[in-house]
Every structure is written in C-alpha cells, then in structure tokens.
Amino acid sequence: MSLEQRWDLYQEHGYRADQPIGADPLDQFYAALLAFGHQDLARAAELARQAAAGDPDDRVFTEAAAYLNRVAGQGKHSVYVSGDAFAAFIGGGGNVPLYAATSAALRAAYDEYERLDVLDIGVGNGHALLPALTPTINRLGVVEPSAALLAELHARLDASGRSREAFAGTAQEFAHHDNGGWTIMQATYSLHSIPPDERPGLLRRLRDLGQRLLIVEFDVPEFTAMYDPARVRDILGRYERGLAEYTDDGGLVAQGFLMPVLLGYFDQTAARTTYEQPIAAWADLVRAAGFTAVEVRPLYDYWWATACLVTGSG
C-alpha cells in the first residue's frame, strides 16, 4: 500500500490498528507514526522495528525503532529530550557553521554603525549573540522567558564584563512595556515560537521600538496536515541528513534529542511550541508590519532547512 493510499484511508476512517500493513519499510514506518500519534505505543514500536528490519541502512528507521521501544516500555516523558544530548547537538555537526554564519551576519550589521543599541529577542544562552558583540554597542538588551537559559547568559556576560538590560519574559510582554530607542532589534531562531496570530501585532510594536529589525529563521516548506505523505517524506529525508552529522557519540544526540523531536512532529497529544513557515512568509509579515527596505538572504544551507536573514527598516 502506498503512503497516499494509507493517508486516504486514514482521512476516511481515522486510525485503525486492524488495517493490513505490507512489507514496504516506508509503509510500515508511516503506520508506526500513525500509531504513535494515537498513543498506540506498543504497535508503533513493533511497526518501526519491522521497518528497521526491512531497511537496516535507513538510520531514521533504526534510531526511531530503538527510541519507540524505550517509549513503549518507559513512557514518553521518561525518554524525552535530555540536556546533555541537546548540548552535544547544538555544539556539533552543522550547528557549528550555522551559528558561525549567524553570528557573522549579526556582527556585520553592527559594524555598519559607529555606536548602536542592540536588543536580542529570545536570546537563549547567547549562542548566536555573544560571538557577534562589538565594543561599539552602547546598550544591550536581552529578552528570554527561560529562567535557566537567562541565568546561563548572565554568567557568560558577567565573565566578559558586558553590561545589559535583561527582561525575563516573553517577547509580547516585553514589547508591551518597553520604551524603545533600539538601533537594531534581532531575533535568531526564536520568533517561530510565537503563535502565528500574535506575530503581526508583535512586529508592528517592534516597528515602533527601533530602527532596524533582523530575523533569522529556517526556510521550511509549508504543509497543512500532520500526516500528509509529502510532509512525512520531507521530514524523514531531512532527518536522514541530520543524523548523518552525529555518528560517533553512541546515539546520544539521536536518542536524546533528534528522535524525540522527530516523533514530536506526529504526536497529537503534545502541545505545539513551534510554528515554522517559509521565509517568504516572514518577509511578508515584516513588510505588513510597516518595515521598509525588506531584504532576504540565505546564511547557511543547514540539514533541516536553509537558514535565512530577513532585514527591515523601521
């Protein structure tokens, strides 16, 4: 049975565990994703095991089978993303040149000014910001809702002797209270966490708070349905490339980060925390908010998608 046929059956009849599964590993894995999404965890693990046995060279199948076997035995929450795995992920593979390119783009923007005030929205622990900082920055503002990441950022800025104004909250909360005056406002890989219906208002407010906006996000395709076969094939292909960048860590990144995230794309019970979209949609939002001279340029061809910089003037 093709993925399209199984998708048609699913749309017509919903999830049914008694539907026959053929010998094609991709069909078996697709059925595993449906089972996982409907909390039929034992069946998801068995179908993923069959897919991996049928195509042992497909690392997505083999890693997912190992992960789902643990989920079936221990539950999803016991085997979700680990801090060590995320640290290894962000500090290795394509993330190294990705963040180098991102920091270089920020620094190039700063270098266009003799003196400037910089605001970083969703700064995290400063992975992109810190390497870009220049002595010409008069005032540095950082916005981060995660207390743990903000504490790490404070420690790193203290070590460098850099002063800052920190806001421990969301971008929406910050924009409501801030008085503006920023030369550059930037958001690197953070605005996709803002629900789509809240983006226009936030961007309009940012237009009033500063002179220039820099957004870095991934240029992802847009799919409307969770189990659309085109979406499934697209995600599996991307993760095959991503897994290839982490082969010598004993499965730390695969099992502790990449597999939980991949399966999360097909989990109907998980609260959604990211809303990625094509980079053209980001540029359209920036224009609609009233920014002018909006430009888009690619920064790095990352395994998940090409990272792009969107700039606009307030």
Side-chain angles (χ1 to χ4, degrees):
M1 183 182 296
S2 70
L3 265 60
E4 285 71 21
Q5 290 172 315
R6 191 167 299 285
W7 169 235
D8 289 341
L9 286 173
Y10 176 76
Q11 290 180 293
E12 184 175 355
H13 302 292
Y15 174 68
R16 290 181 55 181
D18 61 349
Q19 286 181 347
I21 307 298
D24 176 53
L26 182 57
D27 181 36
Q28 293 167 339
F29 193 77
Y30 184 79
L33 295 177
L34 291 175
F36 177 79
H38 289 271
Q39 307 310 299
D40 193 350
L41 301 182
R43 180 168 171 78
E46 173 58 23
L47 289 168
R49 185 197 64 76
Q50 292 176 22
D55 190 356
D57 293 330
D58 190 310
R59 196 173 171 208
V60 173
F61 293 171
T62 58
E63 293 289 357
Y67 177 75
L68 285 171
N69 185 61
R70 292 165 55 221
V71 168
Q74 303 174 33
K76 288 186 295 185
H77 297 297
S78 298
V79 293
Y80 199 58
V81 173
S82 78
D84 289 344
F86 179 74
F89 168 73
I90 205 73
N95 282 294
V96 176
L98 169 69
Y99 274 90
T102 302
S103 298
L106 298 178
R107 190 181 184 97
Y110 305 162
D111 285 341
E112 296 178 26
Y113 303 87
E114 292 186 4
R115 307 297 297 178
L116 73 161
D117 298 337
V118 173
L119 172 69
D120 195 314
I121 301 168
V123 63
N125 68 356
H127 202 58
L129 170 68
L130 267 63
L133 292 176
T134 64
T136 57
I137 297 174
N138 283 326
R139 177 188 176 209
L140 176 64
V142 293
V143 178
E144 176 54 49
S146 167
L149 290 175
L150 192 57
E152 185 178 347
L153 175 65
H154 280 310
R156 298 177 72 182
L157 288 170
D158 286 342
S160 67
R162 172 76 65 167
S163 62
R164 67 278 184 186
E165 301 172 16
F167 183 87
T170 67
Q172 299 93 313
E173 293 166 339
F174 171 84
H176 181 71
H177 293 97
D178 189 64
N179 293 321
W182 305 101
T183 313
I184 286 180
M185 303 167 293
Q186 63 192 44
T188 58
Y189 315 110
S190 61
L191 290 190
H192 62 253
S193 65
I194 306 293
D197 61 344
E198 298 180 27
R199 291 174 187 171
L202 173 62
L203 291 174
R204 285 195 299 270
R205 177 59 181 154
L206 292 178
R207 178 202 58 200
D208 297 331
L209 296 180
Q211 300 175 22
R212 187 175 179 189
L213 178 66
L214 309 180
I215 296 175
V216 182
E217 289 288 351
F218 293 114
D219 187 14
V220 298
E222 191 165 33
F223 300 103
T224 58
M226 179 178 286
Y227 301 112
D228 181 341
R231 179 177 187 262
V232 172
R233 289 190 178 95
D234 182 78
I235 290 175
L236 297 188
R238 293 170 190 271
Y239 268 77
E240 192 70 39
R241 296 192 293 273
L243 285 166
E245 297 185 355
Y246 301 90
T247 58
D248 302 320
D249 62 2
L252 173 64
V253 169
Q255 293 299 309
F257 182 72
L258 288 177
M259 286 303 103
V261 174
L262 184 149
L263 270 300
Y265 289 125
F266 304 99
D267 187 352
Q268 298 191 68
T269 68
R272 188 168 180 180
T273 58
T274 62
Y275 307 84
E276 291 185 301
Q277 61 185 10
I279 205 68
W282 285 111
D284 288 343
L285 279 173
V286 172
R287 290 189 190 94
F291 288 92
T292 60
V294 177
E295 296 181 355
V296 175
R297 70 176 179 89
L299 293 182
Y300 183 73
D301 189 18
Y302 188 60
W303 65 265
W304 173 242
T306 300
C308 295
L309 171 67
V310 180
T311 64
S313 299

